[in-house]
Each structure stands twice: as structure tokens, then as C-alpha cells.
Amino acid sequence: MRRDDTPKERFVAYDRFMAVRVLDHPLAKHLVMRLRDQNTRPEAFRKHAMTLSQLLILEATRTLRTKTDTVQTPLEPCSGESMDQGLVVVPVLRAGLGMLEPALAMFADVSVGYIGLERSHDTAIAHSYYCKLPAIGERFTLCLDPMLATGGSASQALALIKGAGAKAIVMVSVVSAPEGVARLQSDHPDVDIVTAALDRELNELKYILPGLGDFGDRLFGTS
């Protein structure tokens, strides 16, 4: 993936392959704070998550391949660039569903896959209970998982996506912990991460601090 299009201050390089790009935009910072607030109700949480996901997906797809194109305006021919690469979006169930709609709304040529991973509250280890992926081919692929905590679930999801043939993959999260970043650095150094916040650490229960609680529970109003 090209690095020249991304200003240096926008990402933290963990090695020569992998980069963590943290959104540096006032609206993104505002939305993260609203998601962190324990008083934000599920309906507002969903709205904020959708808007923030739109910003994250725009950042994550900045390296989509384009081609030279010519159209006829009402006044004259005009040359420019059009997208020349389809998109595959894979939300990790169930929380990743909250990030899916913006991708479907913004991109015409998009296919959707689903990966179901459930993390044990006792061991913090995730196991897969569902995987349905489309034909990927040369498509650009986004893996959507709002909370990159230990990195175990994300690593499993990326392995499944690579097994389906994906080459160009970006991991998209709302909040990331250093432990999760380190896990992906080790397991998938070729996959960049785009996130809205890089938090301090995990607690003894493997929740991100300061974090925002359980994304899925807050999104769907469950506990």
C-alpha cells in the first residue's frame, strides 16, 4: 500500500510494514467522546458510531486503486479518475454490524462477508461460530471490528479473510489498545490499522482503558 498519500503525522509506524493511522479530525475526536460517555443512550450511540465509521472507512480506503476516466460534462469533455477496484467489507459479529451501513451507502461496488467470533469472559479467547465470505479476488478488503482489545479476534478474522484470497486488507476499529496492535503487528504485519483512538491499556478483564465499555451491548441496548 502507498504511504505517500498519508501525512506522516497521521500514522504511527510500528515497523516497516504495518502502520496505525489514528484519525486526526475534530469531528472524530468529538464522536469518540460521545461514544465513551456512559450517559449516551443506545439510539444516540448508534448514530455517533455510524458517523464515525463513515470517517474511518473514508480514511481506510484512501489507497483504493483508480483509473483515468473521461466524461462529458454539460459544457465539455473532462478527464479525471474513477475507482478501479471493488470493495469487500467484513464486519466481525456482532459489534461490527454497527460499522457496516456507511460502507454500503458510500460505495456502489461492495460485497459483504460476515465472521462470527465470540470471546469467552473467563479466558478472553475467541472462537469462531460463523464465517461467510464472498469471492474476493483483487478487491480491497476492510475488516470491521470496533474494539481492538487483545487482538485475538481480529487476528483470527484476518487469517480467515486471507484464507479466502484477500491481499490488500485494512483493519478498521473505533478504539484500539496497545496490546491488540502488538498482536496484529506480530501476526499480520502486512495489515494496516485505521482507528479513531489508541487507548492506554487493557484491564485484568481484557477491557480497553479508558475505552467505552462493551460496544455491542451499548449499540444494541443489551447487557
Side-chain angles (χ1 to χ4, degrees), residues 1 21 56-63 140 142 170 172 194:
M1 296 176 63
R21 303 206 300 269
L56 286 164
I57 290 167
L58 285 172
E59 177 65 25
T61 54
R62 65 163 52 243
T63 56
F140 194 91
L142 302 180
V170 176
V172 185
V194 172

Side-chain angles (χ1 to χ4, degrees), residues 23-39:
L23 282 185
D24 185 17
H25 190 286
L27 179 57
K29 295 175 182 178
H30 170 81
L31 292 169
V32 169
M33 289 300 289
R34 300 287 70 77
L35 293 176
R36 292 193 194 278
D37 188 347
Q38 66 177 355
N39 295 316

